[in-house]
């Protein structure tokens, strides 16, 4: 293997830069030329491909976002688009690919590999932690800590005014962020898509709070089946029906995607990036490099995409017990 | 003066605890007994009044929120309510009051003083910085830095995807937070209630951005006359009318009220708290202790409430020049 | 089991409060009375033992330090001291103990259990991560992130002046903190007690840096066999012998012990605390509740104390490759 | 004026990048070509001078350090060196200079202007806040907040173990950082070069602490006349002479120079940078652009260098009162 390329795709996640750095430097260390593709699959199609050196990735390990930019590509969903992408890669002599992203990224990579056969390894870059084949995804730990810091701040003001706060965190199909920052933030309730949300229980509990004299934090994953935080707050408020209680909603939004990555995310990103390049050298392909139980593991794209990672059951129990 | 009381009222602000601490310890240092009233004017009416010692305020200088809780009071707007409050204070022998809060708090304090004559001094505790008689209010610096950190994070993800972000910050009648975090965050535009917002200019500028290849940050004070960030984004999006451009909105919300106060807020809060007590001892009353041009100044409640503090003209110019 | 007690001992670690909270609330949830012992084993001997309620642990999950205080006890090393401790516990009717701390804490707990037979479970609270029986210790993740933020700041100034910085982090017998913040901080070298430090290699590499025109970060665990950061810097400086190069040392010190715990530490602390109480109820004793490969595991104190947890071999390799 | 140059010199300070950005963009906005000189006066002599565009300063406002690097120059102290520097500037056609730095930088700039007459304006970039002609220097607010966060963390661990901590902060000739983070951190004592340090009082106070049962924080400016924190701790420890008390020292060191600048520093840096360019256009020279009482003011280099800015007297009083 003489030349490889790396790109980021899908929603950006803190730690993607640390992963790019690891890919670039491991490749150079192993005597492989490395190219960066900007704007994901669109950039592949358009030939936005440039040689990277060791210094190209200096001073980026601590930065959020991605120096290779990211995008979601419509063209790559077509055979024609993928053919163009292949032609571009061929013209550069690319013999291996590292794809940093989530489920959508890997789905594209799998199709592309099966059609054109360029060896490809993925790295799990998404804040949602919803990818099978790795205990944690790159960006998850940072997103949770960002959400947690926000909850800590909101608790200050909730406590000062005895308010009931519904805080919406990211997670369309996954409650991982909600659960971890709910435990860490000492939330009274956490509502996630994986389990049925029992609003009656919440209403009953809030009614029992001493008259307008105590604050509560309720963390809602954006994909909860009862609706977003605003909707859920309205339902609960109507049923609690107590003028002395103040209900507030905060939607944390895109701050969860940015920020300097935590130590955990930088280390994970570095390990996955190195493992992706080592994997390509050792003949692995059509799979993702993740970390399971502390060790690097390669899992087929097929499994990453089709299998789901369950929430830890004891985590929801933890919240119930610790919020008494 | 042998006994004084302190309370917080209105929206909470980081640094209120540092201010309470300064009031309590300065009083004790000067040989005065000091009482804390919880829940603002409501607590005064209900007699939620307790003796405080030096250790009552240990380890709170770094905490957001207010240990004395805060509330907005309907009862205190009535003569009857204020009479009850006066009776409570009398029964404790309170001879002086320190009121930490904003315009609403001072309006209540002024009426109360004029009716019952208990010497009262205010401390400017509000994140909005919209109070005449002090260069900065307690909590403003922390709120700006919290908003700025959020903008830094959002810039990471905006840049990764070349998105246009409208970020709503607090400020119903005042653009202070928006302007300072707009300058500090390198925003392309800042929209504030004090000046007419020129959406045409914004639209024109965004149209000129290279096709879907560059990010922009627009900071909107919640009280802008064109509407909140969501509304303004929709107006702009419709007029830009470019499918390749992605528009996003983030409303920072209540995280701006919480968090550990910055150094500046802790120092300001400490100075104002001490000055309030020293002022009471020296016969000042019906006024606020603020810091103007580096020195403690007492300004009548009348002036604090009726006069307005203008935005620095050169600050808006700064944003125009520096965002080129 | 009707009454249990909890205490913290040894060096404090961020997350200890979250662990205390979990112990207290799980106990109450299970119908058990719970007591807090202040100042560790000394407090046990002196009878500093108080009933705790659910609200005793409100609003502490986010705080560094330990509300139960910590101390190292000389008296508890004597049979006489331990007899007194036992008598105190008996007088309160304590039937189970949760001990939060590190190796030294568990050694004491083991001896005490073997002598007096009160069921005892430990929780791994130490920033050093040097305890067998848990993948991570409570406080480690926070300490690493604190050290990493410091390294990020120092890199700013190192880069501005092209300086060579030796940064000393905690770890008398263990290089865990050094390795993780070395990887995360993009350090050029990491020196740890577990492996032989090759100063010649460092000297050679620094000589090759372009003349006074490039910065380097070297992370040193305080227990490295070549000495502390100051000593190592002097050795290296003498051998590099280049006037144009500026060498600086920063010893991070006790800031690594404090600060709000990270999400990871709060979740780990909560799980271990809950598991300790559940373990006592289920008849476990003389062991520690840790988390291995994502699941709660009980490991005998014997094993925790006598076995050592090796550094991941690929981590040091990672630094070598990624710093090129 | 058609062409100007900008450089940073002396110790780096957070906000220097924001200042460079403001200089570059204001110049371009005013139709002036702008050049960046790397490595301060050395770079001027060596001709390390490059044209800068608007995008050269994109995405740097939030970064610590300085993209133009900094250095202290021996050569510039010689007439020969300055002649070379002048020749270099002439060859580029530079007609005006913005010098970002502290006293040493301005001393060099003054001599150079008096010899060669190229109009020069300074911006106050130093964490020490020891420059006459501006209420605050660029970098001071960030340094204070960094030191304060460290003190907050150390207080956690100090309280857990009832320890007495001596914390050394930067400030060779100036106690500004020590005083502000002392007030903000709730320190029991602050020792600064501007006032005589009364160790007897400290010893007496520490002796009165309940036997080994209470923590204290003492902030020491590195330039205190009694020595550095280590020395002072030893003196105090010897005189307190109490085995039950634990004394610890932490020297914060270079972390105070780095880090993302605070809002205040970014705004100040932006205003000074813009004012420097506007000043050059308006014929100002041989002076510094600072902010006094909220407004931009130009002060002659002569005054900046020769006059001193006194500590606020009431600040030291504040610490005495609030630490009771």
């Amino acid at each position: 293997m003489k030349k490889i390329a790396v790109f980021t795709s899908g929603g950006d996640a803190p730690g993607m830069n640390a992963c790019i750095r690891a890919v670039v430097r491991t490749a150079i260390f192993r005597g492989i030329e490395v190219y960066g593709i900007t704007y994901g699959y669109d950039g592949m199609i358009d030939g936005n491909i440039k040689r990277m050196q060791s210094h190209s990735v200096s001073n980026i390990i601590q930065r959020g976002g991605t120096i290779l930019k990211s995008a979601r590509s419509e063209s790559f969903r077509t055979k024609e688009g993928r053919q163009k992408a292949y032609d571009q890669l061929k013209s550069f002599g690319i013999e291996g690919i590292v794809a940093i992203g989530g489920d959508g990224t890997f789905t594209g990579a799998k199709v592309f590999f099966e059609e054109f056969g360029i060896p490809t390894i993925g790295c799990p870059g998404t804040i949602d932690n919803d990818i099978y084949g790795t205990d944690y995804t790159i960006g998850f730990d940072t997103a949770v800590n960002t959400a947690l810091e926000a909850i800590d701040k909101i608790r200050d003001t909730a406590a000062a005014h005895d308010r009931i706060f519904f805080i919406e965190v990211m997670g369309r199909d996954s409650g991982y962020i909600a659960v971890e920052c709910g435990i860490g933030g000492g939330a009274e309730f956490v509502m996630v898509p994986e389990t049925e949300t029992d609003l009656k229980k919440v209403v009953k509990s809030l009614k029992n709070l001493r008259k307008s004299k105590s604050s509560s934090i309720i963390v809602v994953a954006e994909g909860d089946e009862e609706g977003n935080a605003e909707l859920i707050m309205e339902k609960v408020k109507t049923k609690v029906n107590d003028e002395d209680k103040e209900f507030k909603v905060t939607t944390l939004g895109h701050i969860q995607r940015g920020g300097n990555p935590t130590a955990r995310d930088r280390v994970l990103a570095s390990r996955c990036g190195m493992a992706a390049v080592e994997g390509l050298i050792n003949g692995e392909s059509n799979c993702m490099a993740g970390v399971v139980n502390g060790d690097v593991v390669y899992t087929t794209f097929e499994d990453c995409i089709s299998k789901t990672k369950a929430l830890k059951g004891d985590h929801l129990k933890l919240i119930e017990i610790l919020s008494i």
Side-chain angles (χ1 to χ4, degrees), chain A:
Chain A
M1 190 150 299
K2 300 232 179 89
K3 292 186 186 180
I4 65 170
V6 58
F7 67 93
T8 51
S9 167
D12 65 311
M16 280 186 161
N17 280 328
C19 192
I20 294 167
R21 172 179 178 269
V23 169
V24 169
R25 296 208 167 158
T26 306
I28 292 170
F29 188 86
R30 297 295 184 201
I32 297 172
E33 278 185 21
V34 60
Y35 291 76
I37 304 170
T38 41
Y39 294 104
Y41 289 118
D42 272 353
M44 202 185 276
I45 293 168
D46 298 344
N48 287 328
I49 302 172
K50 281 205 184 128
R51 179 80 180 274
M52 297 182 87
Q53 307 291 352
S54 179
H55 65 76
S56 313
V57 293
S58 287
N59 208 17
I60 66 166
I61 194 172
Q62 79 277 29
R63 304 234 166 102
T66 157
I67 60 166
L68 293 178
K69 305 266 184 169
S70 187
R72 287 187 174 83
S73 173
E74 287 307 312
S75 315
F76 200 76
R77 293 174 188 274
T78 67
K79 182 70 200 276
E80 196 191 352
R82 293 192 296 273
Q83 180 66 52
K84 275 191 200 163
Y86 176 73
D87 295 343
Q88 291 281 8
L89 294 176
K90 268 290 129 184
S91 76
F92 280 86
I94 303 298
E95 298 168 323
I97 300 169
V98 178
I100 305 169
D103 266 8
T105 305
F106 299 161
T107 304
K110 181 172 174 290
V111 171
F112 190 64
F113 173 76
E114 286 164 5
E115 286 176 350
F116 299 99
I118 301 181
T120 304
I121 296 188
C123 292
T126 164
I127 63 168
D128 289 334
N129 200 29
D130 58 351
I131 297 182
Y132 182 87
T134 193
D135 288 341
Y136 296 103
T137 54
I138 299 163
F140 171 67
D141 192 57
T142 307
V144 170
N145 278 290
T146 297
L148 186 55
E149 279 171 34
I151 293 174
D152 283 352
K153 287 187 210 293
I154 289 169
R155 187 172 281 286
D156 284 344
T157 187
H161 289 277
D162 291 333
R163 284 169 173 160
I164 297 158
F165 262 94
F166 289 73
I167 301 174
E168 184 177 308
V169 299
M170 285 193 165
R172 248 170 240 164
D173 310 303
S174 161
Y176 271 100
I177 293 176
V179 166
E180 295 239 345
C181 71
I183 296 172
E188 273 72 20
F189 297 97
V190 175
M191 301 174 177
V192 297
E194 286 92 340
T195 64
E196 207 177 324
T197 297
D198 184 353
L199 290 189
K200 278 186 193 162
K201 196 171 162 186
V202 176
V203 168
K204 192 178 159 198
S205 165
L206 292 178
K207 279 189 167 175
N208 287 340
L209 285 178
R210 276 166 304 146
K211 185 175 163 295
S212 89
K213 290 293 176 215
S214 202
S215 63
S216 285
I217 300 282
I218 296 154
V219 176
V220 181
E222 62 181 327
D224 189 72
E225 80 282 0
E226 286 284 350
N228 64 19
E230 187 72 34
L231 281 170
I232 291 178
M233 185 277 280
E234 288 298 343
K235 289 183 194 176
V236 170
K237 189 180 174 181
T238 305
K239 284 181 189 151
V240 170
N241 191 22
D242 179 344
E243 281 188 2
D244 285 333
K245 289 196 167 65
E246 268 192 286
F247 291 80
K248 296 275 176 183
V249 173
T250 290
T251 301
L252 296 185
H254 281 80
I255 58 168
Q256 295 165 85
R257 291 205 174 281
N260 294 3
T262 59
R264 206 60 75 91
D265 272 332
R266 299 189 201 180
V267 172
L268 175 64
S270 299
R271 295 184 75 189
C272 291
M274 180 167 89
V277 176
E278 306 274 13
L280 285 174
I281 292 170
N282 297 330
E284 300 280 350
S285 181
N286 208 18
C287 64
M288 181 192 79
V291 172
V292 177
N293 291 346
D295 293 315
V296 167
V297 168
Y298 299 94
T299 303
T300 62
F301 280 147
E302 179 63 37
D303 280 359
C304 292
I305 298 161
S306 62
K307 295 190 179 175
T308 55
K309 194 163 66 177
L311 280 183
K312 291 258 166 201
D314 71 332
H315 276 31
L316 291 171
K317 189 74 190 162
L318 209 54
I319 291 165
E320 188 187 342
I321 292 178
L322 300 188
S323 65
I324 60 171

